[in-house]
Amino acid sequence: MAYIPLTSNQGAAQAIEDGATLAECVARARNTNDLPAVLKVFQITRKPRCEKIQKGSMENGDIWHMPDGPEQVARDADMKVTMEKLAAKEAGTPIPKESKVVKSNPNRWSDEEFQPWLFGHDAIAHVCLPNECETSCGLMNGDRLIRNLMHC
């Protein structure tokens, strides 16, 4: 998949994840006849994650290249609050009650929910999400071979 700048070296990391995921999928093939299903598993597994990372990159592009003005001032205020909360959390001090509630850090790569999701991903373990294949991967009842490959 092509990656947008503003993800730093994330494109290289995604290529490594792609390789690990593809290797795990291919390792589950019993013979060459399984390869079409294996490639479908690869796509089902990787596409949502890659799309979310690309979206985060585009959002960062919007955030970091925002013209001066009211939106930029609001972004800076949100970033300040999230950084103050992070510093308080790391120092073990209470977060001031007057701190404005911010859902997430506007900078996706610094967001305390997005960052662990991005950097803590286990590409091999993600190939099979036990008991979640239908909901997470959108498998249909007829995808028996894919279920077998994913060990669901």
Side-chain angles (χ1 to χ4, degrees):
M1 304 215 49
Y3 285 88
I4 305 161
L6 308 165
T7 53
S8 186
N9 295 322
Q10 196 55 38
Q14 290 305 109
I16 293 168
E17 284 184 15
D18 284 346
T21 303
L22 186 58
E24 180 65 17
C25 289
V26 170
R28 294 179 185 194
R30 293 178 300 264
N31 56 51
T32 56
N33 294 332
D34 288 348
L35 290 179
V38 163
L39 294 175
K40 185 173 181 182
V41 169
F42 173 77
Q43 181 181 7
I44 288 168
T45 302
R46 293 296 297 157
K47 192 171 189 264
R49 179 169 171 80
C50 292
E51 288 173 344
K52 186 173 181 177
I53 292 168
Q54 287 176 334
K55 183 177 184 277
S57 181
M58 288 185 283
E59 288 170 356
N60 265 9
D62 293 341
I63 290 298
W64 292 116
H65 296 282
M66 187 177 288
D68 290 345
E71 284 183 283
Q72 168 263 319
V73 170
R75 175 211 58 199
D76 292 352
D78 286 348
M79 285 183 167
K80 181 179 179 185
V81 169
T82 57
M83 296 311 289
E84 287 171 351
K85 286 182 180 180
L86 180 61
K89 184 177 176 182
E90 288 178 359
T93 58
I95 298 169
K97 288 184 180 180
E98 64 273 1
S99 286
K100 181 176 95 172
V101 175
V102 177
K103 277 186 172 180
S104 63
N105 191 327
N107 175 6
R108 305 306 296 149
W109 289 184
S110 296
D111 181 67
E112 62 184 3
E113 291 180 21
F114 189 79
Q115 190 181 64
W117 175 86
L118 179 67
F119 298 126
H121 182 68
D122 183 338
I124 293 171
H126 188 71
V127 171
C128 182
L129 299 173
N131 303 318
E132 296 179 4
C133 290
E134 282 194 33
T135 55
S136 66
C137 299
L139 295 177
M140 307 306 273
N141 290 332
D143 289 329
R144 197 171 293 145
L145 176 59
I146 292 174
R147 279 182 211 285
N148 291 338
L149 290 169
M150 295 178 79
H151 306 291
C152 296

